[in-house]
Amino acid sequence: MEGYTYLLSLCVILMSTKIFSILSRRAQLPQVVGALMAGLFFGPAVLGAITQHFFNVEFCLQPTQLLSRLAELGVIVIMFTAGMETNLDELKASGTSGFVVALSGVILPLGMGAGLMFLFDDHTSFESAIFIGAVLTATSVSITVETLKELGKMSTKVGNTILAAALIDDILGLICLTIVTGMGGEQDTNLTMVFIKIAGFFIFVGIAGFLYNRYMKWSDRVQAERNLRRYPVLGFAFCLFMAWAAESIFGVADIIGAFAAGMIIALSPKGQYVASKFDTVSYLLLTPIFFANIGLEVILPKMSFELVAFTAALIIVAIISKLGGCGLGALACKFDKRQSYQIGLGMVCRGEVSLIVMKKGMSMHFIAEEYLGPIIIMIIICTILTPVLLKWAFEGQKDAIGDTVFEDAFMTMDQADEITDDLFSRKLQLSSRTHE
Amino acid sequence: MEGYTYLLSLCVILMSTKIFSILSRRAQLPQVVGALMAGLFFGPAVLGAITQHFFNVEFCLQPTQLLSRLAELGVIVIMFTAGMETNLDELKASGTSGFVVALSGVILPLGMGAGLMFLFDDHTSFESAIFIGAVLTATSVSITVETLKELGKMSTKVGNTILAAALIDDILGLICLTIVTGMGGEQDTNLTMVFIKIAGFFIFVGIAGFLYNRYMKWSDRVQAERNLRRYPVLGFAFCLFMAWAAESIFGVADIIGAFAAGMIIALSPKGQYVASKFDTVSYLLLTPIFFANIGLEVILPKMSFELVAFTAALIIVAIISKLGGCGLGALACKFDKRQSYQIGLGMVCRGEVSLIVMKKGMSMHFIAEEYLGPIIIMIIICTILTPVLLKWAFEGQKDAIGDTVFEDAFMTMDQADEITDDLFSRKLQLSSRTHE
């Protein structure tokens, strides 16, 4: 029983992410960067290390099971909202280019990562090298999605291609992990089975979507009373179910399930209304915890000079291979240079999947303990750099007509917010007048 | 690592509480009852017991640390919202009558509980009897608050008196527990210290309120930009801080801290706006978990016939003593008969504080293990009966003018909801038209 400390932790997380977000916006950086820094700063990595050094006690926010669960819910809600804001037709149109971008963005990091490992250590085994390469393949889409939302570029052609590529990348990463693990001799991973499961997942999404939509249309017709609350609640339950089913039944990432649920809901009655409700839950509780938690889980190990050099090389390889791979893929799909650069950048971010691959590699003794530090630092740098570079890449760009559906929705949300506020303050004046 | 089961648990909780709520409204019962039954039904008590009996596996929702933490956050948000919806002047006006109601509602259950224990077992010690009495003293206000909100009676004179009495009851319960524990010989509980801490808490609330209000007024004046999101975020952080401080520094219940934070925010700029935002977080995630979790934590033990008889007697004593004690107190404060009945009923609900006293008593060996069952069943019955009886007690009653501030706010919320929905569907039509 750790008592009531978690209340204080949540309080510090909400305060610090908000303040750091405001500060980073003042510094012309995306707010996401501030939220990430807040966790890094108040966690073991900075505040913990400082207090440890000066007072011999680690006095800082600690990662707990509660926080990591809420962070998982946070990323599920982020991807769920992204799904609700995605235009299915545009995503379909981005499918082919997304596939090309994802594929070239997997091959290059895999090759370059393995190459770096051979360069750094002659005695390294082929499997170890491939594992380091595999760590570099997986894009973490959630940070990019939040940044694109913030910039109002989610519904652009570039945004849709990044989204499609990142979703496909997740599936390619899964296949990649299966092959690598299989290579290592674990016989319970069967590639055919993985393909069957992925196909099964898509069929499942189709059926679930059809049923949900049917039910909602029926419910919308039958219910005369305007009880709106049930829509977000049922929508959220559906999202959680899809996230669970994706992971537990089909072995696909939970966030892909949440994303699919979001797309299904966006196409059914009251979809936009449901989306507007999640905005609140997201910014008021779950998203700050998600970002802060990334920083919180960082513990920097002591490293030799050689390892520091390897870290620097790993970071450079991580960025260049993804930017290059995805960028070239985008160029091949006839995006112009600037767009290709934006798409490449959007895919640079690494996250939880890289960590999963790393952990798997360690448990199979293909990745030595000492590489934990370099890999974690690489993930942090990529995570923090992506939003910053992405913002610069989009700077000063005017959107073509039809590119701003999302920004519209965002403004509608703000409008609704202001109307709510107005309603209340007017009511308040009224009621204080009647009190006089 | 329990994997991703928690996603499915959350999904089932959201679905089942919503469906059971809708069903209980159809049955003319308060929705709260449905939400409570959902947890009871899908938890170990019913579904678990059935599957255990027929299939020899307990297949049901299980209480987890995550759920209990989210439930705690849920009750904090409920009390925070209650604080934001409370009219300070009316609460002050209810202070004296609240105190009388609370006091008589502590003395009678304490005496009758102890008496029942002596009747049931001649060999019982004085301390054991008093402990059973102490278990009966603590009212759990959150269920009553939710029910009153649902009935739109939170801001009535009766509602305010119940609220004031329940808050004072919590403090009296604390003093009561301290005396009883001290009686048991534990020397680290010092009554003077308890009083100093309670006084300290009120001074702390005053100072925190003053500072928060000053800061908000300054912030409201300085910030020209209309960035509304920071208000709910900072408000929530403040609420969590107050809840933490109440428990950890002053030894007062966390929900009292949250309630105080709510009242402070209601009096500062954008208070109503903040309140409107918590509505969503509450119904979309935290409140369903809070109610379901109560039911989930129920595990019914096997009981002898004698214990069943004791349970029945305990339930009757629990209801009559609280209803009688508080009702008489209300009558003494010149409420009419119906109002006194309503106030008495509103205080019948027992909850977490009773459980805390029980656990304390067990760890000190004053309450025998076998009484766990009767006490838990008493709490469940009181919890489920209170909303039902309360609804009946308010049935058909027209409110006097000025009694419906909250209902107004509730309707404003609904209006805002519908406007949001309208805005989105109109935007949607527009954008689908431009797509054609």
Side-chain angles (χ1 to χ4, degrees):
Chain A
M1 173 91 175
E2 49 179 345
Y4 294 88
T5 324
Y6 76 100
L7 293 174
L8 193 60
S9 302
L10 288 180
C11 164
V12 173
I13 288 175
L14 287 178
M15 287 277 286
S16 61
T17 49
K18 194 74 214 171
I19 293 170
F20 275 55
S21 297
I22 293 173
L23 290 179
S24 64
R25 203 178 42 171
R26 293 246 168 100
Q28 306 291 325
L29 293 173
Q31 299 195 38
V32 169
V33 176
L36 285 167
M37 300 298 277
L40 211 56
F41 185 83
F42 286 97
V46 178
L47 189 61
I50 292 175
T51 51
Q52 181 75 54
H53 185 80
F54 287 103
F55 307 104
N56 243 339
V57 270
E58 198 179 53
F59 179 76
C60 63
L61 286 179
Q62 295 288 349
T64 62
Q65 209 219 1
L66 175 73
L67 289 181
S68 76
R69 286 289 191 231
L70 288 177
E72 278 172 49
L73 273 184
V75 64
I76 284 174
V77 168
I78 288 176
M79 291 308 290
F80 180 51
T81 333
M84 289 193 281
E85 283 154 4
T86 302
N87 188 317
L88 186 60
D89 294 328
E90 284 180 35
L91 191 66
K92 265 190 210 154
S94 310
T96 321
S97 48
F99 184 75
V100 175
V101 169
L103 193 64
S104 58
V106 161
I107 294 170
L108 209 59
L110 192 65
M112 284 181 74
L116 175 72
M117 202 56 204
F118 277 123
L119 267 182
F120 185 73
D121 179 6
D122 313 330
H123 305 295
T124 198
S125 70
F126 178 70
E127 283 89 349
S128 298
I130 288 289
F131 247 109
I132 290 286
V135 167
L136 296 186
T137 58
T139 288
S140 159
V141 69
S142 33
I143 307 272
T144 303
V145 163
E146 262 309 280
T147 313
L148 288 175
K149 272 191 200 175
E150 202 185 318
L151 301 173
K153 306 286 179 192
M154 256 295 279
S155 292
T156 58
K157 206 178 158 202
V158 167
N160 271 297
T161 308
I162 293 177
L163 201 55
L167 292 172
I168 296 164
D169 180 286
D170 247 345
I171 291 170
L172 290 180
L174 197 74
I175 295 171
C176 186
L177 179 63
T178 314
I179 297 174
V180 176
T181 326
M183 225 170 55
E186 260 189 36
Q187 286 310 323
D188 61 337
T189 48
N190 181 330
L191 201 59
T192 326
M193 206 46 218
V194 171
F195 279 111
I196 292 176
K197 278 184 165 183
I198 291 175
F201 175 71
F202 283 107
I203 296 169
F204 174 73
V205 167
I207 296 172
F210 177 75
L211 292 178
Y212 185 86
N213 206 1
R214 274 295 281 256
Y215 170 73
M216 276 324 219
K217 279 195 177 137
W218 171 82
S219 157
D220 208 35
R221 212 170 41 234
V222 169
Q223 253 109 49
E225 42 177 341
R226 271 180 83 84
N227 193 330
L228 287 169
R229 285 193 177 191
R230 65 185 61 176
Y231 294 100
V233 173
L234 291 183
F236 194 27
F238 182 64
C239 159
L240 292 169
F241 173 73
M242 293 296 283
W244 170 81
E247 272 292 350
S248 303
I249 303 180
F250 302 99
V252 180
D254 52 358
I255 53 173
I256 296 190
F259 182 85
M263 285 207 300
I264 290 169
I265 286 171
L267 296 173
S268 56
K270 306 278 179 223
Q272 293 301 308
Y273 177 74
V274 172
S276 79
K277 286 296 153 187
F278 276 90
D279 189 51
T280 317
V281 181
S282 183
Y283 80 77
L284 203 45
L285 185 66
L286 299 176
T287 315
I289 295 176
F290 167 64
F291 287 115
N293 198 55
I294 295 176
L296 281 187
E297 288 186 344
V298 173
I299 298 161
L300 297 179
K302 290 206 171 66
M303 293 195 295
S304 67
F305 174 76
E306 251 193 333
L307 269 187
V308 173
F310 177 73
T311 308
L314 188 69
I315 293 169
I316 293 169
V317 166
I319 295 174
I320 287 182
S321 64
K322 206 66 175 179
L323 183 56
C326 296
L328 289 176
L331 276 179
C333 295
K334 302 201 172 128
F335 280 95
D336 68 25
K337 275 188 195 161
R338 179 167 193 178
Q339 289 173 323
S340 301
Y341 176 62
Q342 290 166 343
I343 291 174
L345 269 185
M347 303 285 290
V348 163
C349 201
R350 306 301 204 288
E352 53 290 352
V353 189
S354 294
L355 286 174
I356 292 169
V357 178
M358 180 190 76
K359 279 177 191 160
K360 193 94 192 168
M362 283 182 170
S363 73
M364 293 175 73
H365 303 291
F366 287 128
I367 299 182
E369 282 285 337
E370 53 178 357
Y371 293 114
L372 178 72
I375 292 174
I376 288 180
I377 294 173
M378 177 275 291
I379 293 175
I380 303 168
I381 303 275
C382 288
T383 305
I384 292 178
L385 268 186
T386 305
V388 177
L389 295 177
L390 213 51
K391 191 179 174 190
W392 288 345
F394 276 105
E395 209 116 88
Q397 182 179 328
K398 280 263 170 267
D399 288 315
I401 296 164
D403 263 13
T404 48
V405 180
F406 177 71
E407 223 165 1
D408 264 15
F410 200 76
M411 281 175 60
T412 316
M413 213 100 84
D414 270 2
Q415 254 173 297
D417 253 20
E418 296 197 7
I419 291 171
T420 313
D421 184 40
D422 269 8
L423 263 171
F424 278 112
S425 47
R426 234 176 282 164
K427 262 290 184 292
L428 212 63
Q429 281 167 9
L430 269 176
S431 66
S432 57
R433 217 180 302 156
T434 49
H435 271 266
E436 279 161 18
Chain B
M1 174 96 171
E2 50 179 346
Y4 295 87
T5 325
Y6 76 101
L7 293 175
L8 192 62
S9 302
L10 288 179
C11 164
V12 173
I13 287 176
L14 287 178
M15 288 277 286
S16 61
T17 50
K18 193 74 213 169
I19 293 169
F20 276 55
S21 297
I22 293 174
L23 290 180
S24 64
R25 204 179 41 171
R26 294 246 169 101
Q28 306 290 326
L29 293 172
Q31 299 195 37
V32 170
V33 176
L36 286 167
M37 300 297 276
L40 210 56
F41 185 82
F42 286 97
V46 178
L47 190 61
I50 291 174
T51 52
Q52 181 73 55
H53 185 79
F54 286 103
F55 308 104
N56 243 340
V57 270
E58 199 179 52
F59 179 76
C60 63
L61 286 179
Q62 294 289 348
T64 62
Q65 209 218 2
L66 176 73
L67 289 181
S68 77
R69 286 291 192 231
L70 288 177
E72 277 172 51
L73 274 184
V75 65
I76 284 174
V77 168
I78 289 176
M79 291 309 289
F80 180 51
T81 333
M84 290 193 281
E85 282 154 5
T86 302
N87 187 317
L88 185 59
D89 294 329
E90 284 180 34
L91 191 65
K92 265 190 212 155
S94 310
T96 322
S97 49
F99 184 76
V100 175
V101 169
L103 193 64
S104 58
V106 161
I107 294 170
L108 208 58
L110 192 65
M112 284 181 73
L116 175 72
M117 201 56 203
F118 277 122
L119 267 182
F120 185 71
D121 178 6
D122 313 331
H123 305 295
T124 198
S125 70
F126 179 69
E127 283 90 349
S128 298
I130 287 290
F131 246 109
I132 290 287
V135 166
L136 295 186
T137 58
T139 287
S140 159
V141 70
S142 34
I143 307 272
T144 302
V145 163
E146 262 308 281
T147 313
L148 288 175
K149 273 191 199 174
E150 202 186 317
L151 300 173
K153 307 286 178 191
M154 255 297 279
S155 292
T156 58
K157 206 178 158 201
V158 167
N160 271 296
T161 308
I162 293 178
L163 202 53
L167 291 171
I168 296 164
D169 180 286
D170 246 345
I171 291 170
L172 291 180
L174 197 74
I175 296 171
C176 187
L177 179 63
T178 315
I179 297 174
V180 176
T181 326
M183 223 171 53
E186 259 189 36
Q187 286 309 323
D188 61 337
T189 48
N190 182 329
L191 201 59
T192 327
M193 206 47 216
V194 171
F195 279 113
I196 292 175
K197 278 184 164 183
I198 291 174
F201 175 70
F202 283 108
I203 296 169
F204 175 73
V205 167
I207 296 171
F210 176 76
L211 292 178
Y212 186 86
N213 207 0
R214 275 294 281 257
Y215 170 73
M216 276 325 222
K217 277 193 178 138
W218 171 82
S219 158
D220 208 33
R221 212 168 43 234
V222 169
Q223 253 109 49
E225 42 176 341
R226 271 181 85 83
N227 193 329
L228 287 168
R229 285 194 176 188
R230 65 186 60 177
Y231 293 100
V233 173
L234 291 182
F236 194 26
F238 182 65
C239 158
L240 292 169
F241 173 72
M242 294 296 285
W244 171 80
E247 273 291 350
S248 303
I249 304 180
F250 301 100
V252 180
D254 52 358
I255 53 173
I256 296 189
F259 182 84
M263 285 208 299
I264 290 169
I265 287 171
L267 296 172
S268 57
K270 308 275 178 226
Q272 292 301 307
Y273 177 73
V274 172
S276 80
K277 285 295 154 190
F278 276 90
D279 189 50
T280 317
V281 181
S282 183
Y283 81 77
L284 203 45
L285 185 67
L286 299 177
T287 316
I289 296 176
F290 167 63
F291 286 115
N293 198 54
I294 295 176
L296 280 187
E297 287 185 345
V298 172
I299 297 161
L300 296 179
K302 291 208 169 65
M303 293 195 296
S304 67
F305 175 75
E306 252 195 331
L307 269 186
V308 173
F310 178 74
T311 309
L314 189 69
I315 293 169
I316 294 168
V317 166
I319 295 173
I320 288 182
S321 64
K322 205 67 175 180
L323 184 57
C326 297
L328 288 176
L331 277 179
C333 295
K334 301 199 174 130
F335 281 94
D336 67 27
K337 274 187 196 161
R338 178 166 192 178
Q339 289 173 322
S340 302
Y341 176 63
Q342 290 166 341
I343 291 174
L345 269 185
M347 304 286 288
V348 162
C349 202
R350 308 301 205 286
E352 52 290 352
V353 189
S354 295
L355 284 175
I356 292 168
V357 177
M358 179 190 76
K359 279 178 191 158
K360 192 97 193 167
M362 282 184 171
S363 72
M364 293 174 74
H365 302 291
F366 287 129
I367 299 182
E369 283 284 339
E370 53 179 359
Y371 292 114
L372 178 72
I375 292 174
I376 288 180
I377 294 173
M378 178 274 291
I379 293 175
I380 303 169
I381 302 276
C382 288
T383 305
I384 293 179
L385 267 187
T386 306
V388 178
L389 295 177
L390 214 52
K391 192 180 173 191
W392 289 345
F394 276 105
E395 210 115 88
Q397 181 178 327
K398 280 264 171 263
D399 290 314
I401 295 164
D403 263 11
T404 48
V405 181
F406 177 71
E407 222 164 2
D408 264 14
F410 200 76
M411 280 174 62
T412 317
M413 213 101 83
D414 269 1
Q415 254 172 299
D417 252 20
E418 295 198 8
I419 291 172
T420 314
D421 185 40
D422 268 8
L423 264 171
F424 278 111
S425 46
R426 235 175 284 165
K427 262 290 184 293
L428 211 64
Q429 280 167 8
L430 269 176
S431 66
S432 58
R433 218 179 304 155
T434 49
H435 270 264
E436 278 160 18

